[in-house]
Amino acid sequence: MKKTVERTIKKAFFALAKNEGWTLQMAGGQVGVTVPKDESHGDFSCNLAMILAANTKTKPRVIAEKLSRQLAGNGLFSSVSVAGPGFINMTVHPDHWAAALDQIFTAGEDFGRISVGHGEKVMVEFVSANPTGPLHIGHGRGAVVGDTLARILSWAGYDVHSEYYINDVGLQMDNLGQSTLARCRELLGQPAGELPYKGDYIIDIARQFLEANGERIMEAPLEESLAKARKFSADKILDGIRSDLEEFRVGFDEWFSEATLHDSGEVEKTINQLQRKGHIREEDGALWLKTGSAGDEKDRVVRRANGVTTYLAADLAYHKSKIDRKYSMLVNVWGADHHGYVPRMKAAVSALGHDPEKLIVRLVQLVSLKRGGQTVAMSTREGVFTTLREILDEVGVDATRYFFLMRSSDSQLEFDVELAKRHSSDNPVYYIQYAHARCCNIFVTAKETGVKRIPFDQVDKSLLTGGDELRLIRKLLMLPDVVDACARSCQPHPVTGYLTEVAAFFHYFYKHNRVVTDDEPLTHARLALVEATMMVIRNGLEILGIDAPRKM
RNA sequence: GCGCCCGUAGCUCAGCUGGAUAGAGCAUCGGACUUCUAAUCCGGGGGUCGCAGGUUCGAAUCCUGCCGGGCGCACCA
């Protein structure tokens, strides 16, 4: 509908432009149609006249009057008026609103999908946590933000591929193997030795390690036992991560192992390529990527003097792989503590010959838990961390996803465990799900009452004239705009707020109107509205990866 | 010291590519269940949008400087 209004205004604008000497450039290149906060200002509002006035030195209200008269002649609106300093307020005729419900029925489970992405290939990389321990709630937030972002971009018409980059190489892996061996010795009653990772989960892994390899593995040369312990532990932990994410409905198209980049020689190849192109210099025997001249604080080492490559080197090869695989838009979801890494990565992508603007890093801020009126900040260092598994078991998937998604990822999140667990309307998740269940139930009632369903085009939509009905319809038709805004900003949270509004408008409508009555035409019209609501909520929840129950 | 994020109702946060009287949820107070699920609805109170300047027809929104909180500033990943 918004698009229709925009087109209509453009038409009116050009009809006058010849005589008035206006150009679209004078208007800022576009007609900015917005939905006013205040319903009394109409369905849509436009500040075109004010922008135009500034560039033509005319009074805004004069321009607004002219445009307004032109627009009023269009059958789309029931009223057009000039208000305030020069806003043009438009109210769309109720019949057009009701008829627009057809868009929802026609698109069905695809209503909300748009094509702004034009099939562009986009890679969304997220979680990518080291396989050195179970995922905690911070990872959980990143996981659900990344997963939902992938869903949103797909709904927006992008060709989306999601990936988990497994850092299965390096010092952390050695530490992990060492920790497992230490726990093994402990289990065998020997002095444990160094224990870099102190979490209890290593004890289980150690036990399984001994079972799988026999106690004699501990007498093997350290090099051998460590290599085995490293691999064994990482695999076990990765299995755990996989099943946690699966339960959390977070899926990946691919799990990409860093080790494969080293084994295939891609890391070396990437360094060589960058060296040839002059992006690398040598100092103190080490190789430095010249990121300092491309926005980073300073240049960064990719290969140490001892010949060992750094983490950045592997990440370069990884991003080269993304580019080689023809992904043009690269979305990375990172914990906010990695923000210092952003300029470096942008510079790196640029050195690889890709537009750094096409690397979008979405930083996700910390999560703290609130329970019993007390907030506990997450701290891996102090070992005060709640695992994703714990919160899933306690709160459930739907509420956990919703709570992780309801705030801008730029803001730190306080997760109110007690509120999330509450099965009542206080809890926004159930508030939305309940609205969906109510819709479904109305159809059960209709069927029991013997109401026959008729095709939408035979329904008399003009009967939907109530303020609360039109308000709901207007809201329902906004889903595509919400998807658009989310895709543009790479932020999923507006969807949660939108669905809360849809649910609120529906609950209000439900309370004040009876759907199934003796008035058959009106019953059919309202059933159509209920069905449209059901579809919008279901599609919205689908985007968020949250169930839409038929019954509660 | 430098950089990034945040500072909006008692609490948690939307709104920030500038728009008309600043919103939601929780909490709080008061109402509504012979009627399609009360997991619902209706209503009230609650604000110098951190502070101070600037940009303009118009600033919570943009710019500058402060103040406060978080997080970073490795040849770790």
Side-chain angles (χ1 to χ4, degrees):
Chain A
M1 185 61 84
K2 193 173 173 182
K3 277 198 184 122
T4 311
V5 173
E6 258 168 20
R7 270 199 305 272
T8 309
I9 295 175
K10 260 189 191 155
K11 237 171 73 187
F13 174 81
F14 285 119
L16 293 170
K18 282 173 221 148
N19 291 331
E20 301 289 338
W22 299 335
T23 63
L24 203 54
Q25 279 70 37
M26 288 178 181
Q30 56 175 353
V31 290
V33 173
T34 55
V35 178
K37 288 180 270 190
D38 190 334
E39 282 181 33
S40 69
H41 292 142
D43 297 336
F44 295 99
S45 176
C46 169
N47 65 352
L48 181 60
M50 277 132 76
I51 310 261
L52 213 49
N55 291 316
T56 57
K57 290 177 185 159
T58 327
K59 286 203 163 66
R61 285 199 67 109
V62 174
I63 298 177
E65 292 292 350
K66 283 180 184 163
L67 278 167
S68 159
R69 268 195 300 276
Q70 185 73 25
L71 284 166
N74 191 295
L76 184 60
F77 304 112
S78 60
S79 94
V80 181
S81 63
V82 177
F87 291 104
I88 301 170
N89 293 336
M90 294 149 283
T91 303
V92 173
H93 195 281
D95 287 354
H96 286 288
W97 277 120
L101 277 179
D102 192 29
Q103 295 168 21
I104 298 176
F105 291 105
T106 308
E109 61 184 24
D110 289 330
F111 179 72
R113 287 195 185 271
I114 50 177
S115 56
V116 295
H118 299 296
E120 181 178 351
K121 285 188 74 171
V122 46
M123 157 94 69
V124 185
E125 182 215 324
F126 55 105
V127 189
S128 299
N130 295 341
T132 55
L135 297 176
H136 55 67
I137 54 172
H139 295 127
R141 187 182 188 192
V144 81
V145 166
D147 179 68
T148 306
L149 211 44
R151 291 168 191 249
I152 285 169
L153 290 170
S154 166
W155 275 71
Y158 290 89
D159 181 5
V160 181
H161 177 91
S162 60
E163 214 158 276
Y164 186 122
Y165 179 56
I166 312 166
N167 301 131
D168 48 5
V169 175
L171 192 67
Q172 313 276 6
M173 287 295 100
D174 285 340
N175 288 339
L176 176 66
Q178 242 180 60
S179 304
T180 300
L181 291 181
R183 288 297 193 187
C184 285
R185 281 182 229 112
E186 201 175 80
L187 288 169
L188 297 172
Q190 301 165 7
E194 239 184 289
L195 185 63
Y197 291 108
K198 295 177 177 56
D200 290 343
Y201 58 90
I202 304 272
I203 302 174
D204 282 336
I205 293 172
R207 200 170 286 127
Q208 293 175 54
F209 181 65
L210 288 176
E211 261 169 47
N213 293 284
E215 291 180 13
R216 263 175 312 172
I217 185 70
M218 301 306 290
E219 282 140 36
L222 183 64
E223 201 174 312
E224 187 193 331
S225 61
L226 183 61
K228 276 202 165 144
R230 201 167 46 198
K231 173 100 173 56
F232 185 89
S233 312
D235 285 349
K236 281 284 172 237
I237 288 171
L238 211 50
D239 284 348
I241 289 175
R242 276 200 171 93
S243 71
D244 284 359
L245 289 175
E246 194 176 331
E247 184 175 327
F248 202 30
R249 299 183 201 131
V250 171
F252 291 93
D253 295 318
E254 195 167 336
W255 295 69
F256 195 103
S257 155
E258 179 187 346
T260 62
L261 290 170
H262 291 91
D263 296 347
S264 65
E266 275 304 314
V267 176
E268 276 304 315
K269 237 163 89 182
T270 306
I271 292 175
N272 291 340
Q273 182 196 313
L274 290 170
Q275 201 162 18
R276 273 200 308 278
K277 287 190 184 162
H279 292 297
I280 283 180
R281 65 180 176 80
E282 204 175 329
E283 185 185 317
D284 302 333
L287 296 182
W288 301 67
L289 183 68
K290 297 183 204 167
T291 55
S293 51
D296 198 6
E297 291 169 4
K298 55 175 208 164
D299 294 348
R300 306 289 173 176
V301 170
V302 290
R303 189 165 68 202
R304 305 176 182 100
N306 64 10
V308 178
T309 53
T310 62
Y311 173 79
L312 177 62
D315 222 4
L316 280 167
Y318 180 45
H319 281 78
K320 179 174 176 292
S321 150
K322 292 183 184 179
I323 296 164
D324 289 347
R325 284 183 279 160
K326 305 287 183 229
Y327 292 102
S328 59
M329 185 168 152
L330 309 176
V331 179
N332 291 0
V333 179
W334 290 350
D337 52 343
H338 290 78
H339 67 256
Y341 201 73
V342 176
R344 187 178 325 186
M345 206 60 232
K346 289 238 181 203
V349 164
S350 174
L352 288 167
H354 201 72
D355 180 2
E357 294 289 311
K358 300 292 270 182
L359 173 72
I360 296 161
V361 181
R362 164 99 350 257
L363 297 170
V364 180
Q365 293 285 339
L366 298 181
V367 179
S368 56
L369 278 188
K370 180 180 173 189
R371 60 189 347 144
Q374 292 247 317
T375 58
V376 185
M378 293 284 305
S379 166
T380 316
R381 199 172 311 148
E382 291 164 39
V384 200
F385 69 89
T386 308
T387 61
L388 176 60
R389 168 66 58 183
E390 285 173 84
I391 212 73
L392 280 180
D393 289 345
E394 188 177 352
V395 176
V397 179
D398 286 339
T400 303
R401 283 189 73 113
Y402 186 91
F403 274 66
F404 278 151
L405 289 170
M406 70 181 180
R407 310 262 101 115
S408 158
S409 54
D410 286 335
S411 288
Q412 297 188 9
L413 175 78
E414 189 171 298
F415 192 110
D416 188 334
V417 181
E418 270 132 39
L419 178 62
K421 278 165 69 176
R422 226 179 292 168
H423 284 221
S424 78
S425 62
D426 300 341
N427 187 335
V429 198
Y430 299 117
Y431 183 81
I432 295 165
Q433 290 184 323
Y434 185 58
H436 181 267
R438 262 189 163 167
C439 290
C440 296
N441 198 59
I442 292 172
F443 284 100
V444 173
T445 306
K447 197 173 178 187
E448 284 168 2
T449 320
V451 179
K452 287 195 294 282
R453 302 300 311 280
I454 60 171
F456 176 76
D457 51 20
Q458 287 171 33
V459 173
D460 184 0
K461 278 85 69 177
S462 67
L463 296 171
L464 297 172
T465 53
D468 40 9
E469 292 167 328
L470 290 170
R471 211 159 57 119
L472 178 56
I473 293 170
R474 281 196 296 262
K475 189 57 81 178
L476 294 177
L477 289 166
M478 282 181 200
L479 181 60
D481 301 328
V482 175
V483 171
D484 190 22
C486 289
R488 245 174 246 287
S489 61
C490 280
Q491 284 269 28
H493 75 274
V495 177
T496 61
Y498 169 71
L499 288 178
T500 306
E501 288 167 357
V502 171
F505 285 4
F506 171 72
H507 284 311
Y508 184 94
F509 159 78
Y510 174 91
K511 198 69 189 179
H512 297 268
N513 303 276
R514 205 176 151 87
V515 176
V516 182
T517 62
D518 297 336
D519 184 340
E520 226 178 284
L522 185 61
T523 298
H524 286 305
R526 286 187 172 157
L527 278 175
L529 178 56
V530 171
E531 188 170 8
T533 305
M534 205 168 75
M535 287 172 169
V536 167
I537 293 180
R538 198 192 297 143
N539 292 1
L541 289 175
E542 167 67 28
I543 291 171
L544 301 179
I546 295 174
D547 279 342
R550 304 189 66 81
K551 234 178 162 172
M552 286 173 80

